[in-house]
Amino acid sequence: MKQRKRKLKRSIIKKFFIFLIFTVILCFLFYMTYYIYMEMRAISKYNKKVQEYSYLEIEKMSDKFAEIENKEFHFVRDKYNVIYIISIDNNKLDQYENMIEYTYGKREKVDSIKLYGLPVRVSQELKQLIINNINKFLSFNEQMDITVENYEEYLPITFLDTTIKEQYKFNYVVFLLFLIFSILFLLLIKLLFFKKLDEKSSV
């Protein structure tokens, strides 16, 4: 009787450790799969020719030069001094006030800001407003002789719209992997803990 109890105890402990090891392995595999998926869909740096959700890290920012449909438009520069156009929610200007003040020499250097948004093609109306105001943002030596015809030689054909948030789509690959791992996990439990019960019930 005692020997049987010892065997049963050893069997339970052994099954528990096997269960624990396989659970860790399955969790690790699921984590790695999800990590690879997240890396593949990582947000890329803003590209004026690609209209996909992206980011732009800015070092300087102008005052508002236009407002269209509750969006404020600003000129910005990155660490390479390249000029871009962004739009922000007109209720969130306070988030950028320190950078704007630094740009116009009213305060010490501030940390760069990472902006996320969707590149949107510059409309004719916005293009004209950019042409009318860009030289106010530039130093005397940087002045541009920019027109509607040569616009694309100087500035991007898109602006980064930070009022648009990233749209998360249902991913069937991740769902399928989650389903497979769940089934494997349940099968593992069944094989380890319910095998004898099935054998007894069949007798």
Side-chain angles (χ1 to χ4, degrees):
M1 188 74 176
K2 285 183 179 179
Q3 195 173 0
R4 189 184 293 175
K5 281 184 178 179
R6 277 198 212 100
K7 280 185 178 179
L8 184 63
K9 190 176 179 181
R10 282 198 208 103
S11 176
I12 291 168
I13 292 169
K14 185 180 177 182
K15 285 178 179 180
F16 175 75
F17 276 108
I18 293 169
F19 171 75
L20 195 64
I21 290 163
F22 274 92
T23 302
V24 169
I25 291 168
L26 285 172
C27 288
F28 176 75
L29 288 172
F30 182 76
Y31 170 78
M32 288 306 297
T33 305
Y34 185 72
Y35 177 80
I36 291 165
Y37 161 72
M38 290 303 288
E39 283 292 306
M40 286 172 67
R41 66 175 292 280
I43 298 169
S44 55
K45 189 177 179 182
Y46 168 70
N47 183 329
K48 63 183 181 181
K49 294 181 180 179
V50 180
Q51 287 185 287
E52 64 179 29
Y53 200 80
S54 50
Y55 76 88
L56 179 63
E57 193 161 358
I58 63 169
E59 303 264 330
K60 292 181 179 180
M61 183 173 180
S62 74
D63 284 323
K64 172 183 75 175
F65 71 83
E67 185 168 346
I68 303 170
E69 297 177 355
N70 298 322
K71 295 177 186 179
E72 286 191 8
F73 289 83
H74 297 254
F75 299 112
V76 295
R77 290 184 190 262
D78 64 9
K79 64 181 178 180
Y80 303 108
N81 229 24
V82 178
I83 299 170
Y84 300 92
I85 296 102
I86 64 161
S87 69
I88 62 170
D89 192 312
N90 60 5
N91 295 318
K92 295 182 178 178
L93 182 62
D94 56 331
Q95 297 177 20
Y96 309 99
E97 280 180 350
N98 289 346
M99 181 165 282
I100 293 170
E101 287 180 7
Y102 161 68
T103 302
Y104 293 100
K106 296 177 182 177
R107 67 160 55 230
E108 295 296 315
K109 185 170 175 60
V110 295
D111 293 333
S112 61
I113 298 175
K114 210 170 192 177
L115 301 172
Y116 294 88
L118 188 72
V120 177
R121 193 171 182 85
V122 173
S123 66
Q124 288 302 314
E125 178 191 4
L126 180 58
K127 188 181 285 187
Q128 194 57 60
L129 289 166
I130 291 168
I131 291 167
N132 294 344
N133 290 278
I134 183 64
N135 284 323
K136 297 174 187 174
F137 179 58
L138 305 175
S139 65
F140 178 78
N141 295 327
E142 294 177 309
Q143 295 295 295
M144 296 178 180
D145 186 18
I146 184 170
T147 63
V148 173
E149 288 73 26
N150 66 10
Y151 176 89
E152 291 181 26
E153 295 175 23
Y154 292 94
L155 294 168
I157 57 172
T158 59
F159 67 90
L160 188 69
D161 191 340
T162 66
T163 67
I164 300 174
K165 302 305 174 189
E166 186 179 15
Q167 299 295 313
Y168 290 96
K169 294 179 181 178
F170 182 77
N171 191 281
Y172 291 96
V173 175
V174 174
F175 175 74
L176 187 63
L177 286 168
F178 177 76
L179 198 62
I180 291 167
F181 286 128
S182 300
I183 292 167
L184 288 172
F185 185 72
L186 291 171
L187 283 172
L188 178 64
I189 293 171
K190 180 174 170 58
L191 288 168
L192 287 175
F193 298 105
F194 295 100
K195 189 178 178 183
K196 285 193 174 180
L197 287 174
D198 288 344
E199 286 173 358
K200 284 180 182 179
S201 62
S202 63
V203 175

